[in-house]
Amino acid sequence: MSCNKHVFGVFDATAADRIGKGKCDVDGINPNLCTHLIYAHVELNKAGSIVRLPTYDGKHAMRRFNDLRDQGNRRLKTLVSIGDPNMATCQPVFSRVAADVLLRETCARNVRQFCETHGFDGVDINWIGPASTDTNNFVLLLAALATELHATGRLLTVSVSASDSYTYDAYDIAGIAAHVDCILLMAFDYYGWWDSYTGHNAPLYRAERDRTDLQAKLNVAHSVSVWLERGAPRDKLILGLAAYGRTFTLANVDVCGPREAAKAKGRAGPYTRDAGTLAYFEVTEALGANAGARTTWDEEQCVPYAVCDGQWISYDDASSVREKCKYIVRESLGGAMLWTIDRDEFQNDRFTLLRTVHECFQSTSPEHKWIVIEYFDHFLTEPVFGFYGSWAAYRSGRGKCDVDDINPTLCSHLIYTFAGLNADGSIVHMDSWLDLPQGKDAMRRFNNLRDHGNPRLKTLVSIGGANNSCCCCPTWRLRGNGLLLTTSVGINRPYNVASVARNVDYVLLMTYDYNGSWDAYTGHNAPLFAGQGDRTDYQRNLNIEHSVNCWVQGGAPKSKLIVGLAAYGRTFALSSAGNSGPRAPSTGPGQQGDYTATPGTLAYYEVKQIPNLSRRWDAEQCVPYGTYQGNQWVSYDDEESIRRKCEYIRSSGLGGAMMWSIEQDEFQGGRFTLLSTVNRYL
């Protein structure tokens, strides 16, 4: 398997005891679709010994499982899962062993000896539900296991819950990551029969209907972001995918969307026989056999669901798995894990979901990185411009963003700001020490980004400035022939639109700063549409839709219009903390950020680190805003509003998007949250 992403496949050995179509024996596994196969499971006792081998191992299943390495995939690693999906059984045993230094050492030796005896390349620790009192002991147990296993060249992985209750209270993420080779994030079971309403088993993103703080966290993207923020290395984090669906019995068959009333678990499948759950092969069989079944794709959360004979089924299919593989690549995660391969459409070696993962990652080898970006993100279908504020190299700490921090695969065009213009028409460097080889050599390094995985990237320099009396900042590409000319234009400036558009390759609309601390009231920095609070004609014009319409009606070709997106927020000091909606009276700019140090403005990454920010969503204008510290009010863009704007760009037939500016995005660790969202939806 030629792949630079790990693909873990978990095999539930009890599947050999199923009947008919559901029976999956070791011999039915295709070893060429994974980099790692995990045999589930064996258990510990309170003495730190592996005490129970499943009865089905009388069929020599473990030996045959490890023999899969000899069937065409010599690089395959086999692991055994230690634990029990039943947390009530597993928790007290792990807790006791982890709390005692002698038991930890005994357990580690026994685990190593078990691997040596049965031929496994490593171990996955499946302690899903540690208590908050187990946090330190869990790390100590992993440390003991790592010492024994790594000394003999064996692997140690850990399967962890995606639930915030464990992430914050029970896991020392940095401590865990220090000792294991991979972290298998079980990013599923967000909703299920335990709820009184329907919900997706493994939604990729948040939906607008997710109103509460809890609901906003029940998605894959949130779980991943938390693990990364709390110290998990990207290359160790393996995203779990579910080869099963969660099912509900609808309270009313005519009311059947997500988060609608459910009265009971869904019916058990004919093979897995577990009410509230269906294997993927049972889902496809049920939908194929029922002419009245209706399937729906949830555009917001990138997963399907189905309604069939009063049953509501949330599941993953090839399309949603493909979306999650794109996400893994964009976020530079270590790979994927499928739980479990025997619940996939494994019959006749189909392995529909596992094969989808395999095929998605087949194209991700380093020598074909550009192909990956083009294949996964439809790169260059819509131009994506990213402005880089070179002065960010002078910021301190977390705010410092150098040229080398830029991910060049997320843009079709990168723009270096700024160069100046003399009265005689000559170009002048705004910061020679930063720009030129005798100093930081930033311009040369900026243009060299074209050699870092995106050979189609165009680099431009912006001439003018945010504080220049000339708001039209023409830019062009600094190499060879075929130079590009674009212009950045303000939203409230008079232009001869047709003439401007005729002479440039693109018009970059600076569709932000509609409201700010210069006003006597709060307002959105970059609203997509007008809102009911916009009382006057002037106020009704302060939105992206109006600005775009003006340029189109003035004669600008839609294909040349690039909509500007803001990676920063505008802040205000409220006159009264009790009056905190849009158009609320304000006394001036909000407090400056720790890194950008400009009153009235916060970079997106500064917004994200505001403690106890009370986020609200303006459904009319399709942007969020929030309050904090009593009288502080911020209008900003986040992933949801950027998604809405990208959808507007596509549906309106516009040329693409521009972000001002990428060093104000959540760039740390290569994340570029907003810019990555643009890539996802354009």
Side-chain angles (χ1 to χ4, degrees):
M1 180 177 181
S2 177
C3 176
N4 72 338
K5 298 289 182 188
H6 298 310
V7 179
F8 285 77
V10 179
F11 171 66
D12 181 356
T14 62
D17 294 331
R18 295 186 198 136
I19 61 172
K21 181 183 178 182
K23 182 181 179 72
C24 183
D25 192 60
V26 168
D27 298 331
I29 299 173
N30 184 336
N32 297 304
L33 299 177
C34 293
T35 59
H36 300 73
L37 279 170
I38 300 178
Y39 185 96
H41 60 270
V42 298
E43 297 179 1
L44 292 179
N45 70 3
K46 293 183 179 180
S49 299
I50 297 175
V51 296
R52 184 175 71 84
L53 295 180
T55 57
Y56 38 82
D57 208 55
K59 302 174 184 178
H60 303 293
M62 285 189 176
R63 178 185 57 78
R64 291 185 292 123
F65 186 84
N66 286 314
D67 285 347
L68 292 171
R69 291 176 298 216
D70 302 324
Q71 297 181 21
N73 185 1
R74 297 283 181 165
R75 297 184 181 181
L76 177 68
K77 302 297 182 184
T78 60
L79 299 90
V80 62
S81 175
I82 300 178
D84 191 329
N86 184 345
M87 289 192 293
T89 302
C90 171
Q91 164 62 23
V93 175
F94 269 118
S95 184
R96 173 185 170 87
V97 171
D100 186 282
V101 61
L102 295 179
L103 287 177
R104 290 196 299 265
E105 293 173 356
T106 299
C107 173
R109 286 194 302 271
N110 288 339
V111 166
R112 173 182 54 77
Q113 291 167 3
F114 185 88
C115 290
E116 292 171 348
T117 300
H118 295 281
F120 287 102
D121 296 309
V123 166
D124 178 66
I125 298 300
N126 197 323
W127 185 4
I128 300 302
S132 57
T133 54
D134 297 316
T135 301
N136 294 332
N137 292 337
F138 190 13
V139 173
L140 293 173
L141 175 61
L142 294 174
L145 288 163
T147 298
E148 287 284 342
L149 293 170
H150 290 163
T152 57
R154 286 181 163 81
L155 300 173
L156 175 62
T157 69
V158 60
S159 293
V160 296
S161 171
S163 169
D164 270 15
S165 61
Y166 292 120
T167 303
Y168 285 101
D169 297 335
Y171 294 135
D172 174 355
I173 293 177
I176 290 170
H179 299 295
V180 302
D181 297 288
C182 290
I183 300 168
L184 313 187
L185 183 63
M186 303 181 76
F188 31 79
D189 293 344
Y190 288 99
Y191 295 88
W193 54 262
W194 49 87
D195 297 308
S196 59
Y197 46 82
T198 60
H200 294 304
N201 181 37
L204 182 50
Y205 304 113
R206 175 184 178 177
E208 185 179 349
R209 63 179 168 271
D210 295 329
R211 302 293 187 181
T212 69
D213 286 343
L214 173 62
Q215 291 169 349
K217 296 172 182 177
L218 296 177
N219 59 80
V220 172
H222 170 79
S223 299
V224 169
S225 68
V226 170
W227 275 80
L228 294 175
E229 288 169 0
R230 294 176 69 85
R234 289 176 182 270
D235 60 349
K236 286 190 177 184
L237 196 60
I238 307 298
L239 182 62
L241 311 175
Y244 64 92
R246 288 292 181 184
T247 64
F248 308 77
T249 298
L250 290 166
N252 183 344
V253 295
D254 296 321
V255 183
C256 53
R259 201 159 293 123
E260 300 293 354
K263 62 182 181 181
K265 299 179 182 181
R267 292 188 291 269
Y271 308 106
T272 56
R273 300 180 178 180
D274 184 10
T277 302
L278 290 177
Y280 179 62
F281 67 83
E282 292 174 315
V283 173
T284 58
E285 182 178 81
L287 299 182
N290 192 318
R294 304 192 309 276
T295 60
T296 302
W297 177 259
D298 189 320
E299 292 286 350
E300 288 187 299
Q301 302 202 278
C302 293
V303 283
Y305 65 94
V307 179
C308 178
D309 192 23
Q311 301 289 287
W312 199 93
I313 308 167
S314 165
Y315 62 102
D316 273 284
D317 62 5
S319 295
S320 61
V321 166
R322 194 172 294 113
E323 288 297 321
K324 288 174 179 175
C325 289
K326 293 180 188 179
Y327 176 82
I328 289 167
V329 171
R330 276 194 301 270
E331 294 295 326
S332 301
L333 304 183
M337 173 269 285
L338 190 66
W339 180 280
T340 58
I341 60 175
D342 51 274
R343 291 175 172 84
D344 194 1
E345 266 186 317
F346 65 86
Q347 296 83 0
N348 300 314
D349 195 38
R350 290 185 67 184
F351 287 101
T352 305
L353 303 183
L354 186 60
R355 198 175 294 276
T356 298
V357 176
H358 171 81
E359 291 173 354
C360 285
F361 290 162
Q362 273 282 294
S363 301
T364 63
S365 59
E367 61 270 24
H368 296 107
K369 187 173 182 181
W370 166 247
I371 296 174
V372 177
I373 297 300
E374 188 169 32
Y375 174 72
F376 279 114
D377 297 309
H378 313 289
F379 197 76
L380 291 180
T381 299
E382 309 279 357
V384 177
F385 288 76
F387 275 90
Y388 168 66
S390 58
W391 52 87
Y394 292 119
R395 291 187 184 136
S396 62
R398 189 168 181 262
K400 181 174 182 175
C401 183
D402 192 61
V403 167
D404 298 331
D405 295 313
I406 298 173
N407 183 342
T409 66
L410 296 178
C411 293
S412 60
H413 302 71
L414 279 170
I415 302 178
Y416 186 97
T417 59
F418 287 107
L421 187 65
N422 283 327
D424 61 2
S426 60
I427 306 299
V428 60
H429 287 282
M430 306 289 278
D431 187 334
S432 298
W433 184 85
L434 180 65
D435 294 345
L436 299 177
Q438 61 264 33
K440 298 283 286 184
D441 201 16
M443 280 190 172
R444 181 189 61 80
R445 292 187 292 122
F446 186 83
N447 287 315
N448 285 347
L449 291 172
R450 292 179 298 230
D451 302 323
H452 294 178
N454 185 357
R456 300 187 189 183
L457 176 68
K458 308 298 184 185
T459 57
L460 301 89
V461 62
S462 181
I463 300 174
N467 298 316
N468 196 297
S469 60
C470 172
C471 291
C472 177
C473 304
T475 58
W476 61 81
R477 185 165 60 91
L478 296 177
R479 68 182 292 193
N481 298 318
L483 299 177
L484 299 175
L485 178 64
T486 72
T487 185
S488 299
V489 295
I491 53 176
N492 293 318
R493 301 283 177 168
Y495 297 101
N496 185 329
V497 171
S499 294
V500 170
R502 184 169 55 251
N503 289 293
V504 299
D505 296 288
Y506 293 105
V507 178
L508 312 187
L509 299 178
M510 303 177 77
T511 43
Y512 33 79
D513 294 342
Y514 288 100
N515 297 281
S517 58
W518 50 85
D519 299 311
Y521 47 79
T522 62
H524 296 304
N525 181 37
L528 183 51
F529 305 113
Q532 288 186 359
D534 296 328
R535 305 294 186 185
T536 67
D537 286 344
Y538 174 73
Q539 291 174 344
R540 283 189 287 271
N541 293 344
L542 296 177
N543 60 81
I544 292 173
E545 182 183 50
H546 173 79
S547 298
V548 168
N549 289 340
C550 286
W551 275 81
V552 172
Q553 293 164 9
K558 287 187 175 183
S559 61
K560 286 189 176 185
L561 290 180
I562 306 298
V563 174
L565 309 175
Y568 65 92
R570 287 290 181 183
T571 65
F572 305 77
L574 293 167
S575 297
S576 170
N579 185 1
S580 58
R583 302 272 182 254
S586 64
T587 61
Q591 297 169 1
Q592 69 181 31
D594 292 337
Y595 306 104
T596 53
T598 303
T601 303
L602 291 176
Y604 179 62
Y605 64 82
E606 291 175 314
V607 174
K608 284 295 294 290
Q609 69 179 16
I610 295 174
N612 302 315
L613 175 66
S614 176
R615 178 190 184 274
R616 304 174 198 173
W617 177 257
D618 188 323
E620 291 183 307
Q621 303 200 274
C622 294
V623 283
Y625 65 97
T627 56
Y628 59 102
Q629 295 181 13
N631 74 331
Q632 297 294 293
W633 197 96
V634 60
S635 164
Y636 62 103
D637 273 284
D638 62 6
E639 291 170 89
E640 176 64 15
S641 62
I642 293 293
R643 178 180 71 81
R644 297 297 187 91
K645 290 175 180 178
C646 289
E647 291 171 350
Y648 169 79
I649 290 167
R650 292 184 71 104
S651 65
S652 301
L654 303 178
M658 170 269 284
M659 181 158 287
W660 180 277
S661 53
I662 61 175
E663 84 285 346
Q664 296 185 93
D665 192 3
E666 207 173 16
F667 68 88
Q668 294 84 358
R671 293 185 66 185
F672 288 98
T673 305
L674 301 184
L675 192 56
S676 293
T677 302
V678 175
N679 268 247
R680 187 181 306 139
Y681 291 105
L682 278 188

